[in-house]
Amino acid sequence: MPSAFVDDAKTITEDNPFESMMQRFDEAAAHLRLDPNIYKILRWPNREITLYIPVLMDDGNYQVFTGYRVQHNFARGPAKGGVRYSPDVTLDEVRALAAWMTWKCAVVNIPFGGGKGGIICDPRLMSPTELERLTRRYTSDLMDFIGPERDVPAPDMNTNEQVMAWMMDTYSMHVRHTVTAIVTGKPIEIGGSRGRREATGRGLLFVCNEACKKFNFEIAKTRVVVQGAGNVGGTAALLMHEAGYKVMGIADITGCLYNPKGLDVVGVMRYLRENKTVEGYTEAEHIPVSDFLELECEILMPAATENQITSHNADRVKCRILAEGANGPTTADADEIIVAKNIFVIPDILANAGGVTVSYFEWVQDRMGFFWTEKVVNERLQEIMVSSFNDVVAFAEKFKVNTRLAAYMLAIDRVAYDTRLRGIYA
Ligand code: NAD
């Protein structure tokens, strides 16, 4: 029978993060024998907003920036997810990131749906006042769609606590009272949570510890290679180093450092803070990124950006554990190769969920108006990361699937269950 439904299927390319996410989603849905009606609902984002944001630049002229906010799913609570400033932002990327937030919040079982935002801009070429005007206009244009009960933004690539402070202030000015719970990842002084800044990196440490226990790896002999030296990679490298791991490699967009004896991570991070580049650092070898991702190690942690491990290099990756700090660092086409090499994957929607978990704690504390000590935050984070790791491993064993598929299945099962409970299609 002819159907009124027209699917706007696109050409599938390996580096399209939305397609990468959908391939895993489809596979997990098939394994779960997901109800076809629930499948139809979950395969689309709930809402996509495109904004054209006029900004007065310091030279007196206007620029109009394109921005997005995608709200993927609300079945389990308000949308939750970061805002990214980058010249490479695309709607498909923001869509994928929003969907990953839905699955991530479900994997760690916190009461949020998924959302994500992005603005196409190059923040390195903008002054603080231009960035502030861009952030404020983006926030006020989204007033009808965001809020503590609707959608709660947070930092992501190239956005930080200052950007969140501007967003909170703009939202508060519009509603005429201070609303701290509108964003997470704020400065502690205005409602941020202790431990939020380090949360994603700390969550990575907790899941790596569990994986090492599983494989009986001795921490001091466990070699770690981290791509990305920002909030996620930089913090994870520091915490792993502090915990006694041998961090041999750290890379950022300016280059890749390698020292087989182990890097002085504190020194590397200090050098980066002072020089904004790894160029000129003398205590390590400088190697090309292709060699860097193929270093022999126990733990490879891609914590920078998407599409780093693809069908082109996956067969040369030589780690035992792939701990995905970034969102979507491995393409769907690389999955099969990684699985065939018997690499244990801690998938992004589990591995980097420490950030959103402490964002959830921040939202709870803001709404209570009562703030926890860092010790309490870290203990609760550890409890959630360890039990989520065990949930994913148990799901993988029960269904005899790899850990990435298990994480998607666990998440989709939870969101599908709640969608059915709410009776969305009754
Ligand atoms: P960030 O801006 O603080 O740092 C990004 C780092 O990656 C920088 O060191 C940068 O130089 C490096 N980088 C960027 N592109 C690169 C490339 N092509 N090659 C090598 N290095 C590159 O960003 P972040 O907050 O650390 O986010 C990193 C990743 O983690 C993103 O995928 C983000 O979505 C994800 N993530 C972030 C959080 C969080 O709490 N910040 C939580 C979950 C997931």
Side-chain angles (χ1 to χ4, degrees):
M1 216 172 81
S3 165
F5 176 72
V6 180
D7 197 339
D8 76 340
K10 295 187 192 68
T11 320
I12 295 177
T13 57
E14 180 174 3
D15 61 359
N16 180 320
F18 187 70
E19 297 301 345
S20 242
M21 187 284 299
M22 279 308 297
Q23 282 184 50
R24 275 81 169 245
F25 172 79
D26 282 345
E27 201 181 340
H31 266 83
L32 284 168
R33 296 194 170 82
L34 189 66
D35 170 344
N37 285 308
I38 299 278
Y39 173 87
K40 278 185 222 162
I41 296 169
L42 298 188
R43 88 179 287 276
W44 297 108
N46 186 283
R47 185 185 284 143
E48 297 177 350
I49 303 148
T50 300
L51 303 162
Y52 297 96
I53 311 156
V55 177
L56 177 65
M57 306 303 279
D58 292 346
D59 67 3
N61 290 310
Y62 277 84
Q63 286 287 356
V64 179
F65 294 89
T66 306
Y68 305 105
R69 186 77 191 165
V70 175
Q71 297 171 332
H72 178 260
N73 191 278
F74 298 98
R76 293 167 50 87
K80 182 85 194 82
V83 181
R84 173 175 290 198
Y85 289 176
S86 162
D88 305 324
V89 164
T90 63
L91 181 55
D92 262 355
E93 179 189 54
V94 180
R95 264 185 195 147
L97 289 161
W100 278 322
M101 287 306 296
T102 302
W103 313 135
K104 192 180 303 185
C105 292
V107 166
V108 288
N109 214 357
I110 58 177
F112 287 130
K116 204 80 179 192
I119 302 180
I120 305 171
C121 65
D122 192 342
R124 287 172 306 181
L125 305 179
M126 295 173 71
S127 71
T129 46
E130 289 169 344
L131 278 173
E132 178 172 355
R133 287 193 287 265
L134 175 71
T135 303
R136 287 186 180 280
R137 185 64 189 243
Y138 175 71
T139 309
S140 51
D141 283 353
L142 283 174
M143 276 306 290
D144 292 336
F145 303 101
I146 59 174
E149 309 292 341
R150 294 178 178 177
D151 181 1
V152 186
D156 193 75
M157 267 169 82
N158 299 322
T159 54
N160 54 22
E161 293 179 4
Q162 178 61 73
V163 173
M164 292 306 111
W166 291 330
M167 288 191 87
M168 182 197 108
D169 184 65
T170 308
Y171 186 88
S172 299
M173 281 165 65
H174 280 271
V175 298
R176 297 283 192 264
H177 60 97
T178 298
V179 184
T180 52
I182 171 62
V183 288
T184 59
K186 302 176 289 294
I188 289 180
E189 297 76 8
I190 52 171
S193 175
R194 289 183 177 80
R196 173 61 185 90
R197 195 177 299 160
E198 302 80 14
T200 312
R202 196 177 294 283
L204 276 156
L205 169 69
F206 291 145
V207 290
C208 286
N209 286 345
E210 291 311 298
C212 286
K213 262 189 237 162
K214 186 174 157 59
F215 295 108
N216 288 322
F217 288 169
E218 198 183 314
I219 300 289
K221 290 190 185 151
T222 302
R223 296 163 300 173
V224 182
V225 170
V226 184
Q227 186 196 34
N231 178 284
V232 181
T235 310
L238 279 168
L239 292 173
M240 301 284 283
H241 175 70
E242 219 172 79
Y245 286 89
K246 190 171 168 184
V247 180
M248 295 194 312
I250 297 182
D252 83 345
I253 198 153
T254 63
C256 307
L257 300 176
Y258 170 56
N259 184 339
K261 295 199 191 96
L263 290 164
D264 165 16
V265 180
V266 179
V268 172
M269 295 310 294
R270 193 186 316 115
Y271 187 89
L272 255 173
R273 236 187 349 268
E274 286 165 5
N275 299 285
K276 313 269 178 266
T277 172
V278 297
E279 279 167 33
Y281 185 76
T282 53
E283 309 298 310
E285 276 177 55
H286 293 250
I287 61 174
V289 64
S290 50
D291 293 355
F292 184 82
L293 292 171
E294 295 164 20
L295 285 170
E296 194 180 312
C297 60
E298 277 67 44
I299 302 179
L300 175 63
M301 189 183 285
T305 188
E306 291 108 61
N307 301 335
Q308 297 304 296
I309 299 164
T310 67
S311 60
H312 305 292
N313 65 357
D315 62 332
R316 294 191 298 276
V317 168
K318 294 185 202 72
C319 62
R320 299 285 308 281
I321 296 169
L322 181 63
E324 296 183 331
N327 288 308
T330 310
T331 64
D333 291 357
D335 279 351
E336 219 173 288
I337 306 167
I338 294 290
V339 169
K341 287 176 72 103
N342 218 9
I343 291 173
F344 180 81
V345 177
I346 315 178
D348 49 4
I349 56 174
L350 167 65
N352 69 34
V356 75
T357 301
V358 177
S359 275
Y360 163 54
F361 296 164
E362 182 172 331
W363 180 77
V364 170
Q365 292 171 77
D366 286 340
R367 286 151 52 102
M368 288 163 81
F370 179 70
F371 291 87
W372 312 344
T373 62
E374 189 164 350
K375 184 166 174 282
V376 169
V377 169
N378 291 345
E379 281 168 3
R380 290 184 172 159
L381 171 64
Q382 183 166 16
E383 216 175 287
I384 290 185
M385 293 307 293
V386 171
S387 64
S388 305
F389 177 91
N390 290 329
D391 285 350
V392 168
V393 170
F395 230 74
E397 284 165 4
K398 181 174 166 195
F399 290 95
K400 299 193 177 22
V401 294
N402 63 64
T403 42
R404 185 187 310 283
L405 194 51
Y408 272 80
M409 287 169 69
L410 175 64
I412 292 167
D413 198 40
R414 284 182 175 155
V415 179
Y417 183 84
D418 295 343
T419 305
R420 228 176 277 119
L421 263 187
R422 289 180 60 159
I424 273 177
Y425 68 104

